[in-house]
Amino acid sequence: MKFYSKCMLIIVALAIVFFKCFSQEVKYPNKFEGYLFAYFEGSGPGNVQEQLRFAVCSDGINWYALNQNDPVIKSDTISNSGGIRDPHILRKEDASGFYITATDMNTHKNGWAKNTGIVMLKSSDLGHWSHSAVDLAKEYPATFAKVKWVWAPQTIYDPIAKKYLVYFTIRFEDDDKLDFYCAYANQDFTGFEKEPTLMFSPKFGGIDGDIIFKDGIYHFFYKGNTKVDGKEVKNGIQQATSRSLQGPWVEDFKYLDAYAGTGTPVEGSSIFKLNNSPDYVLMYDLYTKGRYEYQKSTDLFNFSDAPLSFTKNFFPRHGSVIGISGQEARYLNSIWKGVPGELLIPKLFGDRFQFVAEGNPIITHQYTADPAAIVDQGTLWLFTGHDAGGKQKTFKMEDWSVFSTTDMKNWTQYPVPLKLSDFSWAKGGDAYAGQVIKRNGKYYWYISTNALGIGVAVSDRPEGPYKDAIGKPLLTNKDCYDSKNYWACIDPTVFVDKKGQGWIFWGNSECYYAKLKENMIEIDGAVKRINFEGFNFTEAPWIHEEKGIYYLSYATGFPEKIAYATSKSLEGPWRYQGILNEVAGNSDTNHQAIVKFKNKWYFFYHNGAMQPGGGSNNRSVCIDEIFYNKDGTLKRVIMTSEGVGKR
């Protein structure tokens, strides 16, 4: 009995080891934040359709073409025929690179009569690709001299053989049957180790196979059909399953797509898993309708009934999808442009996104608002609000952003340094305007949350991350003693004078100010209010000083302009000096920062100029120079499209 028990334990242990060793569900080192779609185009001139293109998205559903939907690699540089179709992209098992296989076929030039080979590509970075073309008829004439079609090659890693298996549909000239053949790729992925052999022969034939591994089972999706007396009566997406890539493959003869039997044919089925989700997406090409749709599943056997549509700014034909990291998305954008903004924003600690300001707005991959800036050790740091999403009808602001530059042209963005949710007391608010100031080696970020008050966060680095410094609001509406606005306690600006005294100004409709204690997290003394002749204050105060003169700039009226006043003391009296900046673009609000950097003064503001979707609730930060008159007054700011980065 003891011997039997020991044997059973050994068997169980070996089974566990076997499953762990040969599981195909690879754990890649990168956290995937988006998706890359490799495809060929279904619209435009026929001579440019059958070429490799890429598209990217953040959610697997809403796609954006790279390179303005022009090819990322031209087919005549990689194929024998001058065209490629059905590209399949795969991340290597060890995450060291990528493989693409594609049909070597140019139907625009040669029609559908014959193609005898495939294209194989490899890359270490998604941007630089080497290639080879494999002609089965020439390389393996004993078996494939009379091959008619070699279609839709794909690649999968075989953990038992520790090799990459390439499989594809074959049809011979003297046989109408469509079967799947396969061969292991050679070590440098330029061809096959041996002559391809039969892999899977569906009862009625099949094309466009795609294999995925889950829970010990290989799922083989393909376009199949049903025939009666040799005549096709139905077609659509089917699957076969196996415990091994070597088979046997068991067909279930069920149709998975919603269009089977409807007269609307589909092909080019491809399956991929959504990032951070149990769901799988089975997508397919409605090639007679010019649409791409999908159905979802969690177990790869049962799929949603109703098809869903992708949104896209292109018209893809048969392609495939892999997950990509934020770093990979940014690299793709540096080469071909077109990556949606949410994938460009760094998310992991230590990650960065570097970009060049091409004029105003300076940031075009996300909406930004309410700029504030400081200069620290030769670097200008820009802190902004973030209008989330785009096309918003109201303010939707959940976090703040931080950028830096040393030349006003080349910029670096850092991971989100501070979120509204970092303030436990700020439930239900919005991440309104704020300002960062450095003191005693620390950086203090004063933020506003609409009706919930002004908070302060602290960090040891300008890029953050920041944390709530006091666990409660620094100021609330109760401190706005003669205001009737429930949103009165917003838009803080901070300043440390030459004597080392810290000050904070804020407000909406009324402008308040108070001293700060040296610790920068407590109010020192009474709250006071500014008032002087001509002072029509709306919001957004900002303090700066030059040659012993203090400048109080602020938003006035609505839609807002920027006006300013001057004084010899931060406690006044203030003298109104007029309008500094007109209404900014199609934004009702305006919010400024004024900073001296490398002997020039800069005026930061926001407008609604970033399109599509820009406006009062979807704003963008701009920068122009600001100049002084001889008497110390300021010249009106001339807002430009060129900005300061190109000068």
Side-chain angles (χ1 to χ4, degrees), residues 486-503:
Y486 80 93
W487 61 90
C489 196
I490 65 170
D491 290 4
T493 185
V494 286
F495 187 83
V496 177
D497 65 24
K498 292 180 179 179
K499 295 180 180 179
Q501 177 61 58
W503 301 80

Side-chain angles (χ1 to χ4, degrees), residues 324-476:
I324 56 173
S325 69
Q327 289 179 326
E328 289 165 344
R330 289 189 287 279
Y331 177 67
L332 290 167
N333 192 70
S334 72
I335 303 172
W336 292 300
K337 305 297 183 185
V339 172
E342 58 265 34
L343 279 178
L344 300 177
I345 301 171
K347 296 179 177 62
L348 302 177
F349 180 77
D351 202 0
R352 304 287 186 267
F353 172 45
Q354 296 178 330
F355 62 96
V356 176
E358 300 290 348
N360 282 326
I362 63 166
I363 301 158
T364 57
H365 59 276
Q366 73 174 76
Y367 294 105
T368 51
D370 304 327
I374 62 170
V375 176
D376 185 32
Q377 298 181 356
T379 297
L380 185 141
W381 293 87
L382 172 63
F383 306 88
T384 76
H386 177 203
D387 287 331
K391 299 182 180 180
Q392 301 296 331
K393 302 301 181 184
T394 60
F395 291 123
K396 181 182 178 184
M397 307 178 74
E398 299 173 347
D399 53 36
W400 291 269
S401 299
V402 59
F403 309 83
S404 71
T405 183
T406 57
D407 60 8
M408 302 300 286
K409 180 177 181 179
N410 297 283
W411 291 83
T412 298
Q413 183 174 11
Y414 302 82
V416 171
L418 184 63
K419 303 184 294 295
L420 187 67
S421 59
D422 292 329
F423 299 93
S424 59
W425 49 268
K427 293 179 170 44
D430 279 292
Y432 276 16
Q435 183 184 345
V436 172
I437 192 167
K438 182 181 181 181
R439 188 157 198 192
N440 298 327
K442 293 186 178 296
Y443 300 84
Y444 296 89
W445 197 333
Y446 299 81
I447 58 90
S448 53
T449 61
N450 200 353
L452 300 175
I454 289 171
V456 57
V458 65
S459 175
D460 294 326
R461 297 180 298 272
E463 69 269 28
Y466 288 77
K467 64 179 181 179
D468 188 351
I470 54 178
K472 62 182 180 179
L474 176 67
L475 295 161
T476 69

Side-chain angles (χ1 to χ4, degrees), residues 26 66 70 79 100 132 183 218 227 229 281 286 339-340 345 349 387 399 408 414 446 474 510 518-519 566 595 616 642:
V26 179
L66 300 187
D70 287 333
S79 67
I100 288 178
S132 60
Y218 290 97
K227 294 180 179 178
D229 297 328
V281 170
L286 284 74
V339 172
I345 301 171
F349 180 77
D387 287 331
D399 53 36
M408 302 300 286
Y414 302 82
Y446 299 81
L474 176 67
E510 292 81 27
E518 189 174 353
N519 63 17
T566 58
V595 174
S616 291
E642 293 81 7

Side-chain angles (χ1 to χ4, degrees), residues 108 114 167-168 303 436 490:
H108 176 76
K114 189 172 185 176
Y167 56 99
F168 38 84
F303 286 82
V436 172
I490 65 170

Side-chain angles (χ1 to χ4, degrees), residues 510-511 530-537 552 554 565 576:
E510 292 81 27
C511 185
I530 295 176
N531 201 2
F532 55 87
E533 185 178 351
F535 190 42
N536 180 22
F537 176 80
L552 168 65
Y554 53 92
Y576 178 69

